[in-house]
Amino acid sequence: QLQLQESGPGLVKPSETLSLTCTVSGGSISSSRNYWGWIRQPPGKGLEWIGSMYYSGSTYYNPSLKSRVTISVDTSKNQFSLKLSSVTAADTAVFYCASLYSGNSLDYWGQGTLVTVSS
Amino acid sequence: QSALTQPASVSGSPGQSITISCTGTSSDVGSYNLVSWYQQHPGKAPKLIIYEGSKRPSGASNRFSGSKSGNTASLTISGLQAEDEADYYCCSYAGNSALVFGGGTKVTVL
């Protein structure tokens, strides 16, 4: 069974770049079965899809965030990463990484990590 | 890409059935039978309970069922139990590998 774990700084300053890593265990990130994705949830609010990537490196981003988001993969470490640039307080959220079944259903989730944007 | 529309809250008594609607457009819900539903308890990660419209993943209760008509998908919880009290989110494939979530519905067991 797949397990995912997010890691990264819990506090980021405004205008800087938020960087998170998701470590996958229990399976290979290079499996053709899976897409991998990032989702965020501001405190007390709903879920928002940030973007997804296929193991080959093809990426797909939420149009509202596309200019600030980069998702990449490190197959040697079985990890994939999220970078969100030029952050503001509105980017404060719990960030989740997840695997996507057939590119459309989020079947395994990490526990989530809270990132606060504040000076 | 606008968020799907869900009622903010739905409630029911133990043993009853409730239905949560999820309304999108002809570009997402209406075009694909690829709606998924997630249950989220406070402080926990969401859990997949329905995928591809009406399929249940291994481990999901058979009291959850999904359906779709036109641009609206629905999640029905039958035999409501106290443990079903949670937030529920729908999510639809929107083409070009994009996903869009609903705003979430808080289910209260009276």
Side-chain angles (χ1 to χ4, degrees):
Chain A
Q1 176 162 326
L2 282 174
Q3 292 186 312
L4 295 90
Q5 177 69 57
E6 306 88 352
S7 59
L11 181 64
V12 180
K13 289 182 168 56
S15 80
E16 295 189 344
T17 296
L18 178 160
S19 296
L20 295 174
T21 296
C22 182
T23 300
V24 178
S25 59
S28 172
I29 202 167
S30 299
S31 165
S32 59
R33 170 196 183 276
N34 275 75
Y35 285 73
W36 307 94
W38 289 96
I39 302 94
R40 69 178 181 177
Q41 184 172 36
K45 297 187 178 181
L47 301 169
E48 179 180 35
W49 172 72
I50 298 171
S52 304
M53 68 169 294
Y54 197 44
Y55 79 101
S56 61
S58 299
T59 52
Y60 312 91
Y61 301 133
N62 187 322
S64 69
L65 298 170
K66 186 174 182 178
S67 63
R68 300 194 291 132
V69 173
T70 302
I71 296 176
S72 59
V73 64
D74 186 337
T75 54
S76 67
K77 296 181 179 179
N78 226 35
Q79 296 175 335
F80 62 104
S81 299
L82 169 71
K83 291 187 185 299
L84 180 65
S85 63
S86 305
V87 296
T88 69
D91 293 311
T92 294
V94 174
F95 286 77
Y96 296 99
C97 62
S99 65
L100 285 83
Y101 173 74
S102 294
N104 62 73
S105 304
L106 300 144
D107 54 353
Y108 294 96
W109 294 67
Q111 65 184 30
T113 186
L114 174 63
V115 179
T116 300
V117 178
S118 175
S119 55
Chain B
Q1 188 181 16
S2 299
L4 308 176
T5 301
Q6 297 182 233
S9 63
V10 173
S11 62
S13 299
Q16 285 187 329
S17 293
I18 61 170
T19 296
I20 302 169
S21 61
C22 170
T23 301
T25 69
S26 57
S27 297
D28 38 61
V29 176
S31 285
Y32 310 95
N33 198 20
L34 295 175
V35 173
S36 51
W37 289 89
Y38 304 86
Q39 177 191 59
Q40 186 180 35
H41 287 109
K44 300 293 187 181
K47 174 187 174 184
L48 178 68
I49 55 175
I50 293 289
Y51 69 102
E52 294 180 353
S54 59
K55 300 177 181 178
R56 276 188 306 275
S58 174
S61 172
N62 59 9
R63 296 184 298 103
F64 296 115
S65 61
S67 63
K68 190 189 89 166
S69 177
N71 295 338
T72 298
S74 299
L75 173 72
T76 298
I77 308 175
S78 58
L80 198 62
Q81 299 180 1
E83 67 203 50
D84 299 329
E85 188 159 293
D87 293 326
Y88 291 82
Y89 293 90
C90 62
C91 179
S92 177
Y93 183 74
N96 297 316
S97 294
L99 300 176
V100 58
F101 280 99
T105 298
K106 181 177 181 60
V107 168
T108 301
V109 181
L110 302 171

